[in-house]
Amino acid sequence: MSEHAGTEEFEAVYERLWQPMVRLAALTTGSTAIAEEIVQDAFSGLHRHWSRVDTPSAWVRVAVVNQCRSWVRRRQLERRFALSGPLVIEDPDGTAVRDALRMLTPRQRLAVVLRYYEDLSEKQIADILNCRPGTVKSLLARSNATLKEALR
């Protein structure tokens, strides 16, 4: 494959996946700005490894999920030691859903976003979260109960 053909293919993948990956990261982190940074970092990594990646969409999704997990863990530590700091919501649309998602644990939130926003199967989610499909079912059941109560 010529360098030009590889560049065109990468650009096509970027165009196709940018918005869905930003949505995934924004729903996980609660911030569009943070989501865009995470997704850009994921695509930078994909570009570095482009010649060795067989399934770019899966590679980017895993990179985004892993970076979101890291961001959420870091944010939890910051909150634990911060004097104050309510989350600033940048986009008024979907406030109730974002607030409800924040009531979930980071792992539950990832499972919900991957299932209902990315439309992945329980098996695919289990592979990404490195757990069994039964664990995903349990995470989703507990999450759904929490979300239902929060959105009532």
Side-chain angles (χ1 to χ4, degrees), residues 15 54 57 63 79 115 126 130 133 137 140 144:
E15 288 294 322
D54 293 326
S57 58
R79 281 187 187 162
R115 178 68 186 107
N130 197 26
K137 286 182 184 181
L140 292 171
N144 287 338

Side-chain angles (χ1 to χ4, degrees), residues 16-34:
R16 182 171 47 87
L17 296 177
W18 174 260
Q19 284 300 325
M21 292 300 102
V22 168
R23 182 182 65 220
L24 166 66
L27 289 166
T28 304
T29 64
S31 167
T32 302
I34 297 297

Side-chain angles (χ1 to χ4, degrees), residues 12-130:
V13 168
Y14 183 90
E15 288 294 322
R16 182 171 47 87
L17 296 177
W18 174 260
Q19 284 300 325
M21 292 300 102
V22 168
R23 182 182 65 220
L24 166 66
L27 289 166
T28 304
T29 64
S31 167
T32 302
I34 297 297
E36 288 174 345
E37 286 182 37
I38 287 171
V39 173
Q40 189 61 42
D41 288 346
F43 274 105
S44 293
L46 175 62
H47 190 265
R48 280 192 307 276
H49 301 287
W50 182 249
S51 64
R52 297 185 307 267
V53 174
D54 293 326
T55 52
S57 58
W59 195 100
V60 168
R61 183 179 292 112
V62 169
V64 168
V65 166
N66 287 339
Q67 289 183 44
C68 285
R69 288 170 126 172
S70 294
W71 185 88
V72 167
R73 280 192 301 267
R74 199 168 41 252
R75 182 72 175 145
Q76 287 174 331
L77 285 172
E78 289 171 358
R79 281 187 187 162
R80 188 179 306 158
F81 297 106
L83 297 174
S84 64
L87 269 179
V88 176
I89 299 185
E90 301 154 357
D91 178 9
D93 295 335
T95 300
V97 172
R98 280 195 301 276
D99 287 346
L101 284 170
R102 285 189 184 106
M103 297 176 74
L104 303 176
T105 67
R107 191 169 179 164
Q108 288 174 325
R109 189 176 322 123
L110 275 171
V112 167
V113 170
L114 291 171
R115 178 68 186 107
Y116 300 109
Y117 287 92
E118 287 296 306
D119 199 29
L120 297 182
S121 69
E122 290 166 353
K123 169 79 172 96
Q124 291 170 310
I125 296 167
D127 290 344
I128 290 170
L129 297 180
N130 197 26

